[in-house]
Amino acid sequence: MKLKALIFDLDGTFAETERDGHRVAFNRAFGEARVGWHWDVALYGQLLAVTGGKERIRYYLEHYQQDFCPPVALDEFIAKLHQAKTRYYIELLKEQGIPLRPGVLRLLHAAREQGLRLAIATTTTPENVTALVSTGIGRHALDWFDCIAAGDIVKAKKPAPDIYDYCLEQLQLEAGQCLAFEDSANGVRAAVDAGIRVVVTVNDYTRDEDFAGAELVLNHLGEPGQPCQVLSGKLDGFECVKVDLLRRLSGEDEE
């Protein structure tokens, strides 16, 4: 099968949004709600094992705040707290922005020039996708993606493969015609279980995770003059991730 589409995770893959974006927004929402919680860098790293913001809040309550009594029904409380967090996150992006990781914009341009389709598969909210793409590239770039699968569009979040299955259905492509980009073990499991090959770009939170099943594990996608570092797999002589390399990784040359 020929490679026809690239599917990107967002947080941690597109940009380093977790530590200085989402974590800060959660803490601002906690301050607004006057609950007295604070997620420091280390704690947030542990909580990232839980995908989805609302799910992360619920896990925190169950494991760190068992005596907390919400002022309204728990589901309503979590939903409102997460809405506030999303508002603060979007404000953060508008105030200071978060740059895309090395190689991301270059690869998006190259993929489009060579006729590959683009998609996003993420557990973050659609509002966060719009905010990050708009501030990191420009609002026009939202039209680059044939499918933006985000938030609660599927019931089971990563590491379940549902978000990738949904993307494949929307793109009307087979798994073997796509390649995914992830930064976490949960994301790799989701893509692999959907039958999609995966390239990983690690970050400080995910560097030591188990990426079994990934085709290639790197520190970032690389730029001319800023080569990527291979942590697992082979670059086959490339200094950075290019479409020709991705075609090889997808198995296109094996026919």
Side-chain angles (χ1 to χ4, degrees), residues 71-83:
V72 294
L74 182 59
D75 287 351
E76 180 183 352
F77 172 78
I78 291 174
K80 289 184 176 179
L81 193 59
H82 189 255
Q83 288 171 1

Side-chain angles (χ1 to χ4, degrees), residues 52 54-55 82 121-127 129 148-158 163:
K54 293 188 291 293
E55 292 80 1
H82 189 255
T122 177
T123 58
T124 199
T125 66
E127 294 88 349
V129 175
I148 296 179
D152 297 324
I153 200 164
V154 294
K155 184 176 182 180
K157 296 184 177 180
K158 301 173 185 177
I163 196 77

Side-chain angles (χ1 to χ4, degrees), residues 3 6 11 21 42 51 56 60 62 66 71 78 130 143 158 185-186 192 207 217 224-225 238:
L3 179 64
L6 306 182
D11 292 315
T51 55
R56 200 166 296 146
Y60 176 74
E62 292 173 350
Q66 293 95 334
I78 291 174
T130 297
D143 293 333
K158 301 173 185 177
N186 279 337
V192 170
R207 185 175 302 276
V217 182
F238 290 90

Side-chain angles (χ1 to χ4, degrees), residues 68-177:
F68 176 74
C69 294
V72 294
L74 182 59
D75 287 351
E76 180 183 352
F77 172 78
I78 291 174
K80 289 184 176 179
L81 193 59
H82 189 255
Q83 288 171 1
K85 174 260 172 183
T86 297
R87 171 165 43 84
Y88 280 118
Y89 176 72
I90 293 172
E91 288 176 3
L92 270 172
L93 288 177
K94 291 179 178 179
E95 289 169 8
Q96 60 193 44
I98 297 177
L100 301 186
R101 296 189 66 186
V104 170
L105 185 58
R106 172 189 58 76
L107 185 58
L108 292 176
H109 282 307
R112 297 183 72 231
E113 288 170 1
Q114 297 195 37
L116 294 181
R117 299 167 68 189
L118 300 173
I120 289 173
T122 177
T123 58
T124 199
T125 66
E127 294 88 349
N128 289 344
V129 175
T130 297
L132 182 60
V133 173
S134 297
T135 57
I137 307 175
R139 193 171 184 86
H140 66 281
L142 291 167
D143 293 333
W144 295 358
F145 300 93
D146 289 346
C147 174
I148 296 179
D152 297 324
I153 200 164
V154 294
K155 184 176 182 180
K157 296 184 177 180
K158 301 173 185 177
D162 300 36
I163 196 77
Y164 279 107
D165 291 336
Y166 177 86
C167 261
L168 293 175
E169 181 180 345
Q170 294 299 307
L171 294 171
Q172 296 185 322
L173 294 175
E174 297 183 29
Q177 296 173 303

